[in-house]
Amino acid sequence: MGVSVCLEGLTQYNSRKYVRIQSVTWGCLKGFVYLTFAVSVCCIVMIFRLHQEEDEVDSSVRTSVKGVTFTNNRIWDTAEYTIPMQATNSFFVMTNIIKTENQLKRSCPEYPFVKAICFSDNNCKNGSADIHSNGIQTGRCVVYNATFKTCEVNAWCPVQYMGEPPEPAVLRSSEDFTVLIKNNIQFPKFNYTILNIPTIFNTSCTYNKTIFPLCPIFRLGDIVQEAKQKFSEMGVKGGIIAIKINWDCNLDSWFYDCSPKYGFQRLDDKKIMPGFHFRYAKYYKLPQGEEQRTLYKVYGIRFDVIVFGTVASAIEVVLSIVRYSSCGKSAFCKIYNRKKYETVLNPRQVMYVSYVDEPHVTLIKEPLKTSLQHAQGSIVESHPVKFCDAGGCCTSESNEHCDNEESEPMRSTESNKNDDNEDYELRQPLRQEASSPGSPKWCCCGKCLPTQKYHEQLCCRRKKGQCITTSHWFQQLVLSSRTLKKALLYKDPFLDLTDGNIKNQMRRLAFRQYIHWRFGSFDLEDRAVIPSCCRWKIRNTYPKAGNNYTGFKVE
Ligand code: ZN
Ligand code: ZN
């Protein structure tokens, strides 16, 4: 027992099914709740700027530095103090310089750093070189100046001065140089491109955080100051400064704003090994063919332009929501929705009808504007009619129904065929009585009775043919007093079948039997409509005293 229960559990899967009720009141209430929810979400999104997303920006940066200065008896122009950088989005401005002119390949005393100082040849070793060396030692100890003797080296001589850079910085006036930064950006997700230079702008402007925050021309001294540094200090050994361009854009037309905000920050550590420098040389050939060079050790500020962006678009957010929710339009979702939701009208506004010549139950909405027979309806898919399952109340004897009663003599007065294939029987062309003169226009079976009420104007058939009341199974399942009595006794074993009221009980049971037979489910019992011919057949078989029938109530 336990095992079978367990197996049953394993071979079953429960899924949810939602019933969709069509009701104006509930629909409006639902709409109101959804609207409130949507408005709240929008408010939260706007307040906390959740609709913004950090979009990856595609950016290109071009810079041009301008300025000329005269110092150390020479003119310094852009070509000399700006040196192209390997790194992209960077530019370098020289601020200080150590120049060693006229170097030739010779043997000369090393610069007197600690390891190079010597007292005799024994301190020097032929062929050796220190990491700081300017050349290869010859093994001799020679006089560097009045104070020091150093090991002699084969090198570019005279060797470069290796002390501190000059202070104040040689090119300290470069703080007055300016740089024009051109920054194109694109937000790929939004396919939106913009340049940091306003369409109308004064070319002689200089960036100022408060006065000209959008001017793309920057004075180097101001940049360093904004980064909370002193140009005179920083210029000596150089350094690295980040120019941050932050695009904070809202692309919605009514809130449109897309302009850069500039920020500045020193990147190299001021305390641990500050500065930025490198060496380069310019080479010449002497008339005799010998090579000579001028070595520069240059100090300066490297400016790194860093671009990032945030983009917001409520429209985009809405569009993406629509995109997600437009799922409902796809074929898959239609199928999914049809499978997941069963559309049920407000129970008070519908009726179900079943025709013997149609394989499905039809749902018809109230109010009726014509006879129920001609009302437009929609198909209800499932129609689990089972012949042997006649009446949940007498399930236990349903087998007996099918197996034994077949052989019993027909009680039908009109059917001359002992054929249990009811469908076959019922779809035969009408070969008995033609429509009786009294049968109304909407009747197709010729057995219905006229009535003024639209909701009672229903036939057992859609097309002309034999009436269901003439079928074997109508006799057996609905009308048979034997079946009805069995069912009543099944429910109440000690029911007095001789009671005068028994006909009323049998009539009501016959109606139920018909519904269960033709509609397959007791769920529809309340709103299932019994065709006129069937109703009258049942009423005539089990008449009520006074013939005062309530019939089908329309609420
Ligand atoms: Zn009819
Ligand atoms: Zn009929």
Side-chain angles (χ1 to χ4, degrees), residues 373 439-440 442-449 458-461 467 531-534:
Q373 179 74 18
S439 77
W442 45 263
C443 175
C444 300
C445 70
K447 300 269 174 199
C448 300
L449 295 182
L458 179 70
C459 185
C460 65
R461 308 187 62 97
C467 183
S532 172
C533 49
C534 302

Side-chain angles (χ1 to χ4, degrees), residues 298-353:
V298 297
Y299 298 82
I301 302 171
R302 193 184 81 192
F303 296 91
D304 293 349
V305 183
I306 302 167
V307 183
F308 44 99
T310 311
V311 70
S313 171
I315 291 169
E316 190 64 24
V317 170
V318 170
L319 284 179
S320 60
I321 289 170
V322 169
R323 235 172 273 143
Y324 279 115
S325 58
S326 69
C327 167
K329 287 172 192 162
S330 80
F332 169 77
C333 289
K334 271 184 188 163
I335 292 165
Y336 175 81
N337 281 335
R338 203 160 61 217
K339 292 294 172 194
K340 176 162 180 175
Y341 298 103
E342 178 185 333
T343 299
V344 171
L345 293 163
N346 188 334
R348 289 176 162 273
Q349 297 171 343
V350 298
M351 286 177 288
Y352 294 98
V353 298

Side-chain angles (χ1 to χ4, degrees), residues 343-389:
T343 299
V344 171
L345 293 163
N346 188 334
R348 289 176 162 273
Q349 297 171 343
V350 298
M351 286 177 288
Y352 294 98
V353 298
S354 168
Y355 301 101
V356 71
D357 49 354
E358 277 186 356
H360 44 73
V361 173
T362 305
L363 179 147
I364 289 164
K365 291 183 198 176
E366 296 247 48
L368 289 174
K369 293 195 178 74
T370 174
S371 73
L372 184 52
Q373 179 74 18
H374 298 126
Q376 285 292 322
S378 52
I379 290 165
V380 178
E381 280 180 32
S382 58
H383 184 207
V385 175
K386 287 171 194 160
F387 281 55
C388 294
D389 190 16

